[in-house]
Amino acid sequence: MMKTLIFLVFLCLGYQKLAAQVKVHTDMRTPTWNLIGLRYDAEIAPRKWGSVFPPALKALNNKIIELPGYIIPTKVGSKFSEFMLSIVPIASCPYCGSGDIPSMVQVKMLNAIPITEKPIKLRGIFVINDSGDDRSEFFLLNAKQL
């Protein structure tokens, strides 16, 4: 009887461990994503905080780059010409699933593409928005899917 009880306890614990495992996604980190991740917040004037873009990141401004990533929709639909591109899938996004706030770039495509949970790769003009307004800090303009 005791062996059966111990076996059932271990069986239940093992099942809970398997059920709690998170699906691992494809790592999209590239040297370009690493540069984007260099952006940080700092006090740029007394009681005024803003983004700081290190020189290596600023060197990408207005350059054509390629970025792999996952589509994070900003509207409802099945095809998108504007969306956020993230290094992690939507299930890992803290606003939509679980996890930390990932690096993201706002994308404006030349042509709409269908939604997918699989990673995609894009090429476009990388633009840093250092104006301090409420828009995204990074854009990928005139993007094409590769």
Side-chain angles (χ1 to χ4, degrees), residues 21-134:
Q21 288 181 350
V22 176
K23 184 179 175 186
V24 176
H25 59 271
T26 304
D27 187 3
M28 295 288 104
R29 198 163 303 280
T30 63
T32 304
W33 274 117
N34 288 340
L35 287 173
I36 292 169
L38 293 177
R39 185 213 63 82
Y40 63 94
D41 293 322
E43 192 170 14
I44 54 177
R47 297 189 206 154
K48 183 179 179 186
W49 287 78
S51 293
V52 176
F53 305 97
L57 176 55
K58 281 188 174 183
L60 291 179
N61 196 33
N62 292 310
K63 300 279 192 292
I64 294 175
I65 64 166
E66 292 181 4
L67 275 180
Y70 294 92
I71 295 174
I72 307 291
T74 55
K75 297 177 183 174
V76 175
S78 61
K79 289 183 102 177
F80 299 94
S81 58
E82 293 187 28
F83 53 89
M84 299 302 287
L85 188 70
S86 173
I87 60 173
V88 296
I90 199 164
S92 297
C93 171
Y95 304 111
C96 320
S98 63
D100 199 2
I101 298 173
S103 295
M104 287 196 255
V105 173
Q106 187 170 346
V107 175
K108 296 189 183 231
M109 300 289 295
L110 287 173
N111 299 303
I113 60 173
I115 185 78
T116 179
E117 292 181 6
K118 295 179 180 174
I120 61 170
K121 189 171 189 180
L122 303 175
R123 177 185 293 138
I125 302 167
F126 182 74
V127 175
I128 296 173
N129 174 19
D130 60 359
S131 68
D133 63 16
D134 289 336

